[in-house]
Amino acid sequence: DRPLGILHQDLSPANIMITYEGEVKLIDFGIARASGRAQQTNVEALKQKIGYMSPELVLGTALDARSDVFGVGVVLYEMVTGKRLFAGSDDIATLKLVSSASVPPPSAMLDDTPDELEQIIMRALGRDPDSRWPSAGEMGPRRSTTPCCSAVSRALSRARSPAESAKLRSPASIS
């Protein structure tokens, strides 16, 4: 089987679902495109998701699977830290933050971030696509018994989505 070479281009928490069996499913391929096929990206469709774009998508340069790896890195970062990674005062400020891709390590906010998980996240968030994982499938060992995947499992078990974290910190949730 040959990979389809599809770029999702919209990897954000709203488009990632986890089944009851624990499988990760991507949804909403509305702006996805197959590699090698010319297609103009709908900027309005992406406007609400600019904090999850890759620097190369923001800058309008060539895209490949590593662009989606960056989006996965942003989602993982936010799951682990409970904070938005790229949130400027307006869209232009957020685009500048994404294009610079200056990212503090998760351990700067959470002392107990597993080293293996931090390495996975930080490599996924490299500004230069050549410094990132070649594909999401390469981001970690395939066997869950390895320390790397165990670290991911531990972090995900304690992680909250950004929406859940905001709800927990809201005054209405304090009694």
Side-chain angles (χ1 to χ4, degrees):
D1 288 329
R2 186 175 66 91
L4 297 176
I6 294 175
L7 300 178
H8 191 279
Q9 297 185 64
D10 192 9
L11 291 172
S12 62
N15 291 335
I16 300 171
M17 305 302 283
I18 300 176
T19 69
Y20 289 112
E21 293 78 27
E23 296 175 338
V24 176
K25 303 289 183 182
L26 298 180
I27 61 170
D28 192 1
F29 283 79
I31 59 173
R33 66 181 180 148
S35 65
R37 299 200 181 167
Q39 178 178 328
Q40 188 168 351
T41 300
N42 181 345
V43 175
E44 284 303 312
L46 290 175
K47 193 171 183 181
Q48 298 300 314
K49 312 278 180 108
I50 58 178
Y52 299 94
M53 291 180 179
S54 66
E56 58 271 23
L57 183 57
V58 168
L59 298 171
T61 59
L63 301 176
D64 61 22
R66 298 170 298 181
S67 181
D68 281 346
V69 166
F70 190 88
V72 171
V74 174
V75 171
L76 284 173
Y77 186 98
E78 292 181 356
M79 287 176 69
V80 169
T81 65
K83 300 195 184 305
R84 287 293 306 264
L85 179 54
F86 300 114
S89 57
D90 57 34
D91 290 347
I92 299 299
T94 301
L95 289 169
K96 287 179 182 178
L97 290 171
V98 171
S99 66
S100 72
S102 178
V103 178
S107 61
M109 286 173 260
L110 295 171
D111 293 338
D112 64 342
T113 303
D115 291 338
E116 300 94 344
L117 178 58
E118 183 162 282
Q119 290 169 10
I120 290 170
I121 292 170
M122 295 307 290
R123 182 170 173 191
L125 292 172
R127 186 181 189 286
D128 179 4
D130 289 335
S131 68
R132 293 184 211 139
W133 301 96
S135 70
E138 306 271 331
M139 287 180 72
R142 296 189 188 275
R143 299 183 65 204
S144 62
T145 57
T146 63
C148 178
C149 288
S150 296
V152 171
S153 297
R154 282 194 310 274
L156 293 179
S157 69
R158 71 168 192 226
R160 296 180 187 90
S161 71
E164 288 176 285
S165 296
K167 183 178 174 185
L168 290 174
R169 289 191 298 265
S170 71
S173 66
I174 300 171
S175 49

